[in-house]
Amino acid sequence: MIPPSPFRLWAALFAVLLSLCATAAQALDRRVIPLSNLRDGPPEAVLNGETDSVALRVFIPPTGPLSSVLLTLSYENGIDILPEKGTLAVFINGAAVAELPLAAFKGPVNAAISLPASLMRPGENQIVFEANAQHRAICTVRGTFDLWARVNLAASSLTLEAEGTAPEPDLAMMRQLLVASDRTRDPLTILKAGADIDADHLGWGAIVAQSYGLLLGDQSPRVVARPIPLGKAGSAPPALDSLPGLGSKNILIGTRDQIAPLLGEARAAAITGPFLAVYPVPGPVPGAGATPGAFLAVVSGRNPAEVDQAVARLSDVNRPLPTQSAVIVTDVGASAAPPREVQEEGRYRLSDLGFSTVQHDGYRYTGHVTLTLPTGYAPVSDRAVLFHVNGAFEGNLGPGAILNVRVNGRAASAMEIDKRSSGAIENGEMQLPMTLFRPGPNIIDIEAELPPASGADCVFAVRRPRFTLQDNSSLEIPGFARLVTLPNLATTAQTAYPYGGMAGRDPAPSFDLVVVGKEAPWFGAAWTMAARLAQRSGDLLRLVPAVGWDGAPDGNALIVGPVAALPQAAFASAPLPADRLAGLLEAGALIAQASARGEPMAAAERRALVDRLRGAWTGVGANGRAGVAARPAPVSAPVDSGGAQNRWQRMAGDGKSGASATSGWAPDWARRGMAMVARYVNHWTVVDTPVDVVALTENTETLPEAALLQYHAPGSEALTWTVLTASDTRSLDRALRSLGDGGLWDKLRGGGGLWSSVSPSMTVLEAPRPYQIILNPFDIGNVILILARNLSQRLELLFGLLLGTAVVLTVSMRMLLRGGHAERNHKEQDGP
């Protein structure tokens, strides 16, 4: 027997080592979470002034035991910060893990922080950056504005390594997987067996998308639709385990018969009732490009009614799901959602609003308080929210010590502190105009400026001034009217009205969700909008789905579709005529598409495009609508108007408008009377302002490629239609990304918003024909406040009312005096 050569022994040993390394790589679960995944908007966290902090929430998905946690940061700071006195502290779940010097004034500095594995846990975790800075030479209030530090979130990350592979998903951990920070930017994919999406799947997807939005909290949801063609007769459909191109979060919805070709016989046989299941998505080795823990959930039943129950159970975010991978749903009853926190009329301590007592040493302090007001908040202009301040200014202060308050970025009030009060503030009163507040969240910025008595040396300063703000300070909200003026996309963006609840706890009226257009991206856009509105409402919305334009909706409606396919009836009351809107969006799509390809359109080409656009409008009359050819309504998809539509209406409830939802007990004549009052109130207080469409083409750098319009629905009732449209699906996808990730959602105002993915700006259209809805119309106090509000806004009406009252009193007194004089004369004539 010939012994093996040394070369063969070394080759065999090398092969064994390679196999061991490959096995170890497969057993290592490694997750990299960019910190830019943790918040919307620009990928940076900026800290200003002497002391500032930024908090980020990170959701860690279920993994094996963590063996290594590494936080990598890239940050820089201003040159005016004194390095010896400047620090950037990092806290993880309340524990201090690092204190980095603020000496990165020459450029970005990278830092790697190894964390104890026991410090992080599956679920929600918090990362806090806290900057403490001091100026090199200018120790004054002005010098604090030169102090800044910036963390580059896109270049910073949290790396988690766990032993073993990701655990097999079950229903209980599916919600953690949906919000996991390592896949926040991945969309939720809703699958449908078959090439076309019908009304049932539109409604089911909308409910699931809403629950996804509620789970995400304040981060932008993105939902996409993906029909799976089953192929021709005789060809085998794709198997569930081998569906190509699945994302990290997938949900398949449908009846058993619809999805059985994808599930296979064994799995389909288990669907004997409302059915929920979750399966892992097979993919490449973790760390080789795939997201570990990807899953596919199945929501099904033997018939549409059972699918309704399964969808409702999956979407009930107030109850945990069972720790099983597949289950027949038995507890289908909906749980009551906790009431959303809103502040009504009354007095609230800052501690009730989540603020804690603070002591600040330095020259400028800035704090924030959030005050959430209910939908329908309508301020009376001569009233003010009273801010009762308890605090103190200490130290050797110079003249000009002041406490400033801003509401939603606008100056509201100021209080000067002098030595006569010894710097103490006890129940100091500041009046914040009610008109600065709005429905939904309001940010109140409290800023204290503490100038020193004289110029101080920054290096040898012994004690800096101190400001203390007590959490027993309070905000006193006076009575306000419950009135909504629509169209107003700001109200919809902040509170979801008229599609969401009206006061944070009132039941929401149902509305029609209409999708016109057969391509999947339009359905994904409708689901994304429903998810966004549910976030603002704080609860699931009630809707009736419809695919295609099968007659005008008879209630509040959210309509999504390509501008060329929407019928003329959909734009009967829109702020823009249909043909002009279509021309604008098509031209904007051409410019945006050229920029997306990296070949921006030349200025001369853009100008020629605008000139052709204006030339096509020359036949339009003065009202902006003459000469518009009415397009025939697109052929709608077949709808089971007898079964599916009635089922969705029963699930959504009978209420089709805010008025009927809040005053169903009232007789019809009373509701008609209040509607007439609302129309008169509207006539007194609003002005018809037509939109200058030509002005929208003045800036040829960018033309809009998408539009979100809101306007009065045709008819006499105060109903609202909101239309999301674009020229094609690629423009729609780009526009939705910029609407969410670009932060344009919070810039929505008035009766319409037009925007392009090329520029992070929103063109706001003023509401051309505003109308008002009185909430609580049979509350006499509310009606009195509405009258007081409207009279204070229209001084000429108030003056006319006072003048008319004076005239009536004068005439009455004159008639009474004349009558008394005549009677006295008659008695004198009849005397003895």
Side-chain angles (χ1 to χ4, degrees):
M1 179 177 180
I2 301 175
S5 65
F7 176 77
R8 291 185 178 180
L9 289 175
W10 282 109
L13 181 60
F14 184 70
V16 171
L17 289 175
L18 283 179
S19 62
L20 290 176
C21 291
T23 304
Q26 292 181 7
L28 181 65
D29 183 359
R30 188 172 185 268
R31 314 287 180 101
V32 178
I33 303 174
L35 297 193
S36 57
N37 280 11
L38 308 184
R39 63 188 298 179
D40 293 336
E44 59 183 18
V46 181
L47 301 99
N48 293 297
E50 298 169 293
T51 302
D52 198 4
S53 62
V54 172
L56 303 174
R57 293 190 306 167
V58 54
F59 290 90
I60 296 179
T63 63
L66 292 176
S67 58
S68 173
V69 180
L70 180 66
L71 178 62
T72 303
L73 297 179
S74 175
Y75 70 98
E76 58 184 327
N77 56 264
I79 193 173
D80 297 292
I81 294 177
L82 185 64
E84 295 83 358
K85 297 288 184 75
T87 59
L88 177 64
V90 183
F91 299 86
I92 303 292
N93 294 328
V97 297
E99 191 172 271
L100 307 173
L102 288 180
F105 52 84
K106 293 183 179 180
V109 170
N110 297 321
I113 307 170
S114 295
L115 305 176
S118 59
L119 197 59
M120 310 296 290
R121 55 181 180 266
E124 182 177 351
N125 297 264
Q126 189 178 62
I127 303 176
V128 176
F129 302 116
E130 182 178 290
N132 291 276
Q134 183 172 314
H135 203 286
R136 289 176 181 266
I138 306 176
C139 283
T140 61
V141 174
R142 183 178 65 85
T144 62
F145 290 91
D146 299 329
L147 308 178
W148 59 267
R150 179 168 54 239
V151 180
N152 186 346
L153 300 179
S156 304
S157 62
L158 181 68
T159 303
L160 309 172
E161 292 185 354
E163 298 176 356
T165 58
E168 291 286 324
D170 60 26
L171 292 169
M173 69 173 66
M174 192 177 72
R175 287 172 180 163
Q176 291 186 5
L177 294 171
L178 282 170
V179 299
S181 297
D182 60 337
R183 67 197 72 187
T184 302
R185 301 300 182 189
D186 297 345
L188 172 65
T189 303
I190 297 181
L191 306 164
K192 193 264 180 182
D196 296 325
I197 299 178
D198 56 20
D200 271 336
H201 286 85
L202 173 61
W204 293 331
I207 296 175
V208 171
Q210 290 180 63
S211 67
Y212 176 59
L214 293 174
L215 291 174
L216 283 179
D218 56 356
Q219 288 195 275
S220 299
R222 183 164 166 256
V223 187
V224 298
R226 188 185 166 206
I228 303 175
L230 299 180
K232 299 179 180 179
S235 62
L240 185 67
D241 296 333
S242 61
L243 288 176
L246 289 181
S248 62
K249 300 173 285 191
N250 310 274
I251 298 180
L252 173 64
I253 309 176
T255 61
R256 181 179 61 185
D257 293 341
Q258 290 171 339
I259 66 175
L262 300 177
L263 291 181
E265 295 183 3
R267 287 173 174 169
I271 304 176
T272 58
F275 180 77
L276 294 176
V278 61
Y279 306 107
V281 172
V285 176
T291 301
F295 70 91
L296 187 148
V298 175
V299 185
S300 186
R302 293 169 295 184
N303 51 57
E306 290 186 349
V307 180
D308 294 339
Q309 297 176 11
V311 167
R313 182 64 183 89
L314 176 68
S315 304
D316 190 352
V317 297
N318 301 307
R319 286 192 295 174
L321 292 168
T323 57
Q324 298 171 257
S325 60
V327 67
I328 297 296
V329 175
T330 56
D331 53 338
V332 295
S335 63
R340 188 180 180 187
E341 290 295 331
V342 293
Q343 281 75 48
E344 300 277 359
E345 178 182 356
R347 188 163 180 168
Y348 300 87
R349 292 191 173 192
L350 296 189
S351 57
D352 300 330
L353 305 177
F355 183 86
S356 301
T357 297
V358 65
Q359 286 188 343
H360 171 76
D361 292 321
Y363 305 105
R364 181 170 63 98
Y365 162 78
T366 302
H368 312 280
V369 177
T370 301
L371 182 71
T372 302
L373 295 173
T375 303
Y377 165 82
V380 180
S381 59
D382 59 349
R383 292 189 175 188
V385 175
L386 299 181
F387 183 25
H388 301 280
V389 185
N390 293 320
F393 287 75
E394 304 174 41
N396 191 16
L397 297 177
I402 195 170
L403 181 66
N404 296 312
V405 177
R406 295 193 304 273
V407 176
N408 296 321
R410 300 170 63 186
S413 184
M415 175 187 295
E416 187 174 1
I417 306 299
D418 56 28
K419 291 301 180 181
R420 289 176 297 177
S421 62
S422 302
I425 309 173
E426 296 181 0
N427 200 29
E429 185 176 290
M430 304 178 72
Q431 296 189 2
L432 314 180
M434 289 188 73
T435 53
L436 298 181
F437 293 84
R438 64 194 180 196
N442 295 266
I443 305 299
I444 302 174
D445 297 310
I446 304 169
E447 183 179 273
E449 297 183 0
L450 297 86
S454 60
D457 188 285
C458 292
V459 178
F460 299 102
V462 177
R463 181 186 178 192
R464 294 187 294 175
R466 170 177 292 180
F467 171 69
T468 302
L469 180 61
Q470 302 286 347
D471 60 6
N472 60 1
S473 303
S474 61
L475 289 163
E476 184 176 351
I477 305 174
F480 51 83
R482 298 296 300 275
L483 181 74
V484 179
T485 300
L486 293 174
N488 190 344
L489 286 175
T491 298
T492 302
Q494 293 295 323
T495 65
Y497 186 85
Y499 307 106
M502 294 190 298
R505 63 175 184 272
D506 297 337
S510 63
F511 68 96
D512 295 287
L513 180 62
V514 182
V515 174
V516 179
K518 295 185 177 181
E519 294 89 349
W522 301 109
F523 293 89
W527 292 337
T528 301
M529 287 292 295
R532 184 61 104 146
L533 293 175
Q535 283 182 323
R536 298 303 185 177
S537 175
D539 197 5
L540 297 178
L541 312 179
R542 299 188 297 167
L543 56 92
V544 178
V547 176
W549 191 268
D550 191 19
D554 58 353
N556 295 322
L558 175 61
I559 304 168
V560 180
V563 65
L566 289 170
Q568 187 68 31
F571 295 96
S573 305
L576 286 176
D579 65 332
R580 292 196 170 189
L581 178 62
L584 272 175
L585 299 185
E586 290 168 3
L590 291 176
I591 296 176
Q593 184 64 29
S595 298
R597 292 195 307 264
E599 302 171 356
M601 190 178 293
E605 295 181 12
R606 294 196 304 268
R607 172 54 60 185
L609 182 63
V610 170
D611 291 341
R612 289 196 302 271
L613 193 62
R614 291 179 177 178
W617 295 343
T618 54
V620 180
N623 61 357
R625 298 188 181 277
V628 177
R631 297 190 303 272
V635 179
S636 60
V639 178
D640 183 7
S641 58
Q645 195 74 6
N646 293 337
R647 193 180 82 255
W648 281 101
Q649 288 176 351
R650 287 195 304 271
M651 288 191 296
D654 296 330
K656 298 297 292 181
S657 68
S660 61
T662 57
S663 56
W665 55 270
D668 291 338
W669 62 266
R671 288 199 296 271
R672 288 195 298 269
M674 292 310 301
M676 183 180 298
V677 171
R679 286 196 295 271
Y680 276 111
V681 169
N682 181 72
H683 177 72
W684 290 344
T685 56
V686 299
V687 180
D688 190 348
T689 56
V691 177
D692 186 1
V693 187
V694 177
L696 299 176
T697 62
E698 292 296 333
N699 181 15
T700 60
E701 294 291 333
T702 58
L703 293 179
E705 59 178 325
L708 185 64
L709 307 178
Q710 189 175 89
Y711 45 89
H712 187 286
S716 59
E717 293 189 37
L719 299 175
T720 304
W721 287 1
T722 303
V723 175
L724 173 64
T725 185
S727 62
D728 55 70
T729 56
R730 290 179 297 179
S731 297
L732 178 72
D733 182 68
R734 291 192 300 266
L736 284 180
R737 289 176 182 269
S738 59
L739 187 66
D741 299 341
L744 295 181
W745 180 267
D746 293 327
K747 297 181 181 179
L748 291 169
R749 298 286 186 275
L754 306 176
W755 74 98
S756 171
S757 60
V758 178
S759 174
S761 61
M762 176 75 67
T763 299
V764 175
L765 303 181
E766 295 298 330
R769 280 170 292 278
Y771 52 97
Q772 294 183 334
I773 299 174
I774 300 177
L775 306 182
N776 300 339
F778 300 98
D779 182 351
I780 302 301
N782 183 41
V783 174
I784 293 175
L785 285 172
I786 291 173
L787 292 175
R789 177 178 186 270
N790 291 328
L791 288 176
S792 65
Q793 290 179 340
R794 298 292 298 271
L795 294 179
E796 69 277 12
L797 291 178
L798 180 60
F799 178 77
L801 181 62
L802 293 176
L803 181 62
T805 303
V807 170
V808 170
L809 289 175
T810 301
V811 172
S812 300
M813 291 297 296
R814 188 174 182 83
M815 293 179 64
L816 288 174
L817 291 175
R818 180 181 297 177
H821 182 69
E823 184 178 355
R824 187 170 60 253
N825 290 338
H826 181 71
K827 287 182 179 181
E828 289 177 353
Q829 293 176 1
D830 294 342

